[in-house]
Amino acid sequence: MSTHELHDSKHPRPAGPRLRVPRVLAAVLTLATALATTLAPAPQRAEAQQKKVLTVAVAQSVDSLNPFLATRLVSTSIHRLMYEYLTDYDPGDAHAVPGLATAWKPSPDKLTWTYTIRSDAKWSDGRQVTAEDAAWTFQKMMTDEGAATANGSFVGNFSKVTAPSPTKLVIELKKPQATMTALDVPIVPKHIWEKVKDISKFTNDKTFPIVGDGPFVLTGYKADSYVRLEPNKTFWRGAPKFDELVFKYYKDGDAAVAALQKGEVSFVSGLTPAQTTALRGQSDIKVNEAPGRRFYALATNPGAQARNGQKFGDGDPSLLDERVRHALFMAVDRSTLLDKVFQDHAVEGEGYIPPRFSTYFWKPSAAQELSYDPAKAAQLLDEAGYRTNGDGKRTGKNGKPLTYRVLCHATDPNDKAVGQYLKEWWGKLGIGMTLDCLDNVTDPWLAGKYDLAIDGWSVNPDPDFVLSIHTCAALPATPKDTGATDNFICDKKYDELYAQQLAEYDPVKRADLVKQMEARLYDLGYMNVMAYPNAMEAYRTDQIESITTMPEKSGNIYGQDGYWSWWSAVPAAHRGTTDNSSTGIVLWICAGVVLLGGAGLLLTTRRRASADDRE
């Protein structure tokens, strides 16, 4: 809704003899003058109408605007717009391309990496970006537990980081590290962040604009409402073409789609199959569907613990038994979920990394696969000591029936639909289930207060990060701290494989190690990947003329491994907005005067339409 006032200046009557006009025509002209007077925009309203705003509807709220703490997709996507990384991913095939660094070179033993930092990058406050900013960012993550919350795995193997000159960054490693051209760490301005006393408590959302060096500058934020950004005019790749980028929060997906149809937002992602079908073919709307970079999984709480060995949370102890975990997953009919819930807009889940990343995609062998087999699931539960009583309920040695709490996202309709199937399938095994769908799943998740959870992560072209969140090092230092862990998994064999893949530069050998890690996760039964949903999204073609997908051929727009979509977006030449200027109204009236008999009807219709357009 506009906050600009309507123009109320009066137009003087031109000099000259009076003309006699028919009564109907006189009435029309009188109304025309009044209407033009009322609706003629003030200068500031005209300026606002010309402003090209790209509004993105999002269903996820920001967890933090502090890049050292944020892990949610919406937050990390925004940080990619605010801060540059050392390297970026090419939108075509995701190979490493220059970001803040223009070049990089390892030493012969691969233990020292030297980056050339570009000299044409500036912070949005006018200060020069230097290697010292990058060195400070990494050093802070290496020495401050709070600063390592989100991306600490990238620097765990660093031994020393220095900036010998403004354009030279040197990183020394303890052992070789294969992710040195894929360090997904936002580089922050030292002169701003060195003033922060406690990184773990700093929200970065009190003073605007927020200083950054990315393609956009964050200028406004309201929790669970909006994030507002404007182009960084000094961005080294060139400024974005829209005058403003707004991420607008919608708790309800149908409301977001309705806003798209009305033209209130430019773009919507995370569409359901029904929404996608409904939007196809609609005027001024283009649907984009592509293989997704996310997996959709069911995760178990293996017993929340901290690195100091202290246990916490209240996960059901029965889930510590691998046979129980396998039984639960063997009662899940993935093909039914694909057909009934995702309606074939997804690929059946197998390994931890989606098939879009073919180098690392893994699938279990026939002998290894936990395929849908309710009879085998019942047998495993019997073997684990959870047999059915006279009422058909599974009970343990203590006589208590098995009942699991499944944590899910209230904003994702798929979670609720999948939850109902799980309740039915597990019910046939004699297991009870309650579906706990919340707006904020973070608090109970971090506290370990759940039994199972519907889980999902976006995977980067280099999978190191999503692999790292299941290492023992990702656990919180103490129960009071926040770690990078996803579900408190800590397995020695998995950790050994993780360390090996991180140090392996040979692409083929590293891919094999990653697949062994996926196999280990699968065998442990802590993560059951049910599906790889397609990216389903839509945008208004009368607001966005063109936009880059990633990959450029059949890729997604929202949640990319970079800033390509919003940076490249070209505003449509005609936004499809109604012309409410006095000139447009008078011209319309003149046309209506020719049809004197219908002038009143036309005028009434036009006034009603104008009122609707302003809503």
Side-chain angles (χ1 to χ4, degrees):
M1 182 166 55
S2 174
T3 58
H4 299 291
E5 296 179 352
L6 295 176
H7 188 41
D8 62 357
S9 62
K10 296 185 178 180
H11 302 279
R13 177 178 298 191
R18 292 188 178 182
L19 297 177
R20 302 185 101 191
V21 294
R23 183 175 300 173
V24 174
L25 179 57
V28 169
L29 290 175
T30 300
L31 286 170
T33 301
L35 193 58
T37 299
T38 303
L39 296 181
Q44 62 265 35
R45 181 177 175 88
E47 181 182 344
Q49 287 180 335
Q50 294 170 5
K51 194 173 187 179
K52 299 178 178 66
V53 181
L54 198 167
T55 305
V56 179
V58 294
Q60 189 180 50
S61 58
V62 171
D63 57 339
S64 178
L65 287 179
N66 181 337
F68 292 105
L69 305 179
T71 58
R72 291 183 183 174
L73 179 61
V74 65
S75 308
T76 56
S77 296
I78 290 169
H79 288 140
R80 281 187 179 272
L81 303 176
M82 297 168 60
Y83 305 104
E84 264 282 34
Y85 295 5
L86 287 182
T87 60
D88 291 322
Y89 296 105
D90 182 83
D93 62 6
H95 74 273
V97 296
L100 186 57
T102 60
W104 45 90
K105 185 179 180 180
S107 61
D109 63 3
K110 302 291 198 301
L111 292 178
T112 301
W113 284 72
T114 302
Y115 300 82
T116 301
I117 302 301
R118 64 176 59 255
S119 59
D120 58 347
K122 289 187 176 182
W123 296 110
S124 54
D125 63 0
R127 296 272 294 261
Q128 185 74 27
V129 181
T130 70
E132 186 60 34
D133 294 303
W136 186 90
T137 299
F138 292 126
Q139 289 165 359
K140 193 66 176 176
M141 293 170 63
M142 294 165 63
T143 58
D144 187 320
E145 188 82 33
T149 299
N151 298 306
S153 62
F154 288 113
V155 302
N157 183 45
F158 289 12
S159 63
K160 187 178 181 182
V161 182
T162 56
S165 77
T167 58
K168 186 177 181 180
L169 175 73
V170 179
I171 301 178
E172 297 177 36
L173 306 172
K174 300 172 186 175
K175 56 186 177 182
Q177 181 168 325
T179 60
M180 297 307 288
T181 58
L183 298 173
D184 294 331
V185 176
I187 304 301
V188 302
K190 176 185 175 181
H191 66 283
I192 299 294
W193 285 80
E194 66 182 353
K195 301 173 186 176
V196 177
K197 294 181 180 179
D198 188 345
I199 292 284
S200 66
K201 296 180 180 179
F202 183 61
T203 57
N204 198 30
D205 61 2
K206 303 304 181 194
T207 303
F208 301 102
I210 295 176
V211 177
D213 64 341
F216 288 89
V217 178
L218 199 149
T219 58
Y221 167 69
K222 183 179 180 181
D224 296 330
S225 183
Y226 66 83
V227 177
R228 182 176 293 112
L229 304 102
E230 294 182 4
N232 180 358
K233 301 298 185 182
T234 63
F235 184 53
W236 68 271
R237 284 192 197 274
K241 300 172 182 63
F242 273 87
D243 299 316
E244 190 172 76
L245 173 63
V246 178
F247 290 85
K248 188 175 181 181
Y249 176 72
Y250 284 88
K251 181 178 178 180
D252 181 75
D254 289 332
V257 169
L260 179 76
Q261 292 171 317
K262 295 176 183 177
E264 295 171 354
V265 300
S266 316
F267 176 92
V268 174
S269 63
L271 298 173
T272 65
Q275 291 168 340
T276 300
T277 300
L279 290 174
R280 288 191 191 278
Q282 288 198 15
S283 177
D284 295 327
I285 292 178
K286 181 176 181 178
V287 171
N288 181 60
E289 183 168 359
R293 56 180 284 231
R294 294 180 66 83
F295 63 77
Y296 186 90
L298 183 65
T300 58
N301 180 349
Q305 59 180 319
R307 289 203 305 273
N308 65 3
Q310 189 173 348
K311 306 285 186 180
F312 59 97
D314 59 3
D316 196 298
S318 66
L319 295 171
L320 299 177
D321 192 318
E322 186 177 290
R323 293 169 296 183
V324 174
R325 298 195 298 268
H326 284 184
L328 292 176
F329 296 158
M330 294 179 79
V332 175
D333 186 355
R334 292 175 175 84
S335 61
T336 293
L337 296 182
L338 252 64
D339 179 35
K340 301 299 184 181
V341 177
F342 296 100
Q343 298 177 29
D344 296 323
H345 292 275
V347 176
E348 186 171 335
E350 293 177 299
Y352 189 66
I353 297 174
R356 167 169 162 173
F357 304 103
S358 57
T359 300
Y360 302 107
F361 177 63
W362 170 89
K363 57 194 307 182
S365 64
Q368 185 182 21
E369 185 178 7
L370 299 173
S371 56
Y372 178 58
D373 190 340
K376 178 65 175 176
Q379 180 185 334
L380 287 173
L381 289 169
D382 288 341
E383 292 175 2
Y386 297 94
R387 298 179 177 275
T388 54
N389 60 17
D391 296 326
K393 305 294 184 182
R394 293 273 172 185
T395 60
K397 294 178 181 179
N398 58 7
K400 287 187 177 182
L402 283 183
T403 301
Y404 295 126
R405 301 158 301 164
V406 176
L407 192 61
C408 69
H409 307 80
T411 55
D412 191 337
N414 289 332
D415 284 15
K416 298 171 187 176
V418 169
Q420 293 307 313
Y421 279 104
L422 295 179
K423 190 171 186 177
E424 175 187 341
W425 292 329
W426 292 349
K428 291 178 181 179
L429 290 175
I431 297 174
M433 193 268 269
T434 59
L435 193 61
D436 196 9
C437 290
L438 306 173
D439 292 333
N440 174 23
V441 300
T442 301
D443 291 344
W445 208 311
L446 293 178
K449 295 185 176 181
Y450 65 99
D451 297 322
L452 297 104
I454 295 180
D455 197 0
W457 283 86
S458 291
V459 178
N460 297 331
D462 187 296
D464 178 77
F465 177 79
V466 290
L467 297 173
S468 74
I469 60 179
H470 297 308
T471 61
C472 299
L475 296 174
T478 72
K480 294 182 179 180
D481 294 309
T482 300
T485 186
D486 183 31
N487 280 286
F488 307 100
I489 296 172
C490 180
D491 176 70
K492 183 178 179 181
K493 183 176 180 180
Y494 180 87
D495 275 18
E496 290 173 353
L497 289 168
Y498 176 79
Q500 291 177 47
Q501 68 81 31
L502 186 61
E504 183 56 70
Y505 282 104
D506 183 287
V508 176
K509 292 180 180 178
R510 184 177 180 227
D512 180 64
L513 288 166
V514 169
K515 291 176 183 178
Q516 290 182 51
M517 294 176 68
E518 295 182 78
R520 180 63 177 168
L521 271 182
Y522 188 90
D523 291 341
L524 288 171
Y526 290 129
M527 296 289 296
N528 174 31
V529 178
M530 297 181 284
Y532 311 110
N534 290 352
M536 294 186 287
E537 47 200 13
Y539 64 90
R540 291 199 64 91
T541 56
D542 58 349
Q543 296 187 25
I544 303 174
E545 181 177 302
S546 64
I547 193 166
T548 298
T549 59
M550 185 177 184
E552 289 177 314
K553 294 182 179 180
S554 303
N556 56 290
I557 295 172
Y558 181 75
Q560 293 182 358
D561 301 295
Y563 42 65
W564 309 112
S565 55
W566 314 126
W567 172 74
S568 70
V570 176
H574 302 288
R575 296 291 300 272
T577 55
T578 304
D579 181 6
N580 282 333
S581 68
S582 58
T583 302
I585 294 170
V586 171
L587 288 174
W588 174 85
I589 290 294
C590 290
V593 167
V594 177
L595 305 173
L596 290 175
L601 175 61
L602 288 171
L603 182 58
T604 303
T605 304
R606 176 59 186 172
R607 289 187 65 169
R608 185 181 300 118
S610 297
D612 292 341
D613 291 342
R614 293 197 306 273
E615 290 297 320

